[in-house]
Amino acid sequence: TRLEEAGVHVVYGLVNLKTHAKLCLIVRKEADGIRRYAHVATGNYNAATARVFTDLGLVTTRPAIIDDVANVFNYLTGYASALDYATLIVAPVALRRRIHELLEREADHARAGRHGRVIFKLNGLTDPDIIQALYGASQAGVRIDLIVRGICCLRPGVPGLSDNIRVRSIVGRFLEHSRILAFGARDRRRYFIGSADLMPRNLDRRVEAMTPVDDPDLQARLQEILDVNLADDTLAWTLHGDGSWAKVPSDAGVNTHLRLQELAFERARRRRPADAEPAPAPRS
């Protein structure tokens, strides 16, 4: 009501679909004309949770992504029907189908003797259909790492079923909330970030949006996050085939949350002017 009284057009979404996508579209009048910016995120637009959740967002002026974001808003406001989007993977329109296609592509690579690889970072994995597809990719020879913060209904390491799947969870100071999907060997890897976990409600009963990340520098940042999560031996727990969790034995002392803070401060120091105050050290 307060927003509407201030002149904001508030739309409550679609019947029977929760709007869970994290999208922002900005249209600005600038010196050289009208310019549009899009933000596609994994995290909520919430000041409180932003202090304790780990999340990611892409700010872009790439026309194809901006057009897709605009079409999502048109879909939500009733000005357009559901579309097959050019770059975004949108649920419930196409997310389930697209994940199947990408997993099958990796299975084809593995069956042809090439390196099939999948890494997912999620909050939850409960969808039976996607779990079966992951089992199928594992049986084809695809090496799969799943970083799942919360509930995971897949059983890793079961002979003949999921030999090539490992599952771990990071439990520490911050709540791991970002979703990253990575498909392919390093020289051809495709990365996606967005709002969706791999659960029936996300795939079938919510409006979700995943965006590709194609910039090499940003891809390197995403891979850095995945590498740190997979190397962690301080906050990490591993899931066994019988459904039990066990603490990962500490060896190198890699702490995901502390290491990502250190990397952030290193980037800040590199960009800080020489006469500026030094960046504070990360807290352990």
Side-chain angles (χ1 to χ4, degrees), residues 8-222:
V8 177
H9 180 203
V10 179
V11 178
Y12 293 95
L14 302 170
V15 176
N16 297 324
L17 289 179
K18 177 178 179 178
T19 302
H20 193 247
K22 292 85 170 70
L23 301 173
C24 180
L25 178 64
I26 300 171
V27 183
R28 298 183 70 218
K29 184 178 180 180
E30 300 184 352
D32 57 349
I34 300 296
R35 190 171 180 86
R36 298 184 300 167
Y37 303 84
H39 182 242
V40 185
T42 69
N44 304 316
Y45 295 117
N46 183 302
T49 58
R51 295 180 176 274
V52 292
F53 286 18
T54 70
D55 273 301
L56 297 165
L58 174 71
V59 179
T60 181
T61 58
R62 182 178 167 188
I65 294 178
I66 288 173
D67 288 343
D68 278 355
V69 171
N71 284 330
V72 172
F73 282 120
N74 288 335
Y75 172 47
L76 293 173
T77 54
Y79 289 105
S81 59
L83 302 170
D84 193 3
Y85 299 87
T87 54
L88 294 187
I89 310 178
V90 178
V93 178
L95 182 57
R96 180 185 294 279
R97 168 176 56 82
R98 188 69 177 121
I99 290 174
H100 270 284
E101 292 171 352
L102 291 164
L103 287 173
E104 186 57 32
R105 187 187 69 164
E106 292 310 304
D108 287 342
H109 279 291
R111 284 189 285 262
R114 300 183 294 270
H115 182 46
R117 186 75 169 104
V118 168
I119 308 173
F120 289 170
K121 183 179 181 299
L122 305 162
N123 289 274
L125 173 59
T126 65
D127 186 78
D129 183 51
I130 297 297
I131 289 172
Q132 288 300 321
L134 287 164
Y135 286 153
S138 171
Q139 291 164 21
V142 179
R143 189 160 65 93
I144 301 170
D145 275 294
L146 305 174
I147 306 159
V148 186
R149 176 182 62 84
I151 186 170
C152 179
C153 294
L154 178 146
R155 295 293 181 94
V158 177
L161 178 69
S162 55
D163 310 71
N164 293 311
I165 304 178
R166 298 185 303 172
V167 178
R168 59 169 38 209
S169 179
I170 304 296
V171 182
R173 176 184 172 191
F174 300 111
L175 188 146
E176 291 291 332
H177 193 251
S178 59
R179 293 94 168 178
I180 305 172
L181 306 182
F183 299 87
R186 289 262 184 145
D187 59 343
R188 56 176 180 82
R189 187 162 293 170
R190 300 195 64 188
Y191 297 85
F192 300 86
I193 65 169
S195 59
D197 290 307
L198 299 184
M199 307 172 77
R201 67 187 188 190
N202 301 92
L203 297 169
D204 301 324
R205 301 192 300 275
R206 290 182 173 184
V207 178
E208 307 274 10
M210 306 287 291
T211 182
V213 178
D214 297 327
D215 179 270
D217 290 338
L218 299 183
Q219 289 182 338
R221 288 281 298 278
L222 292 178

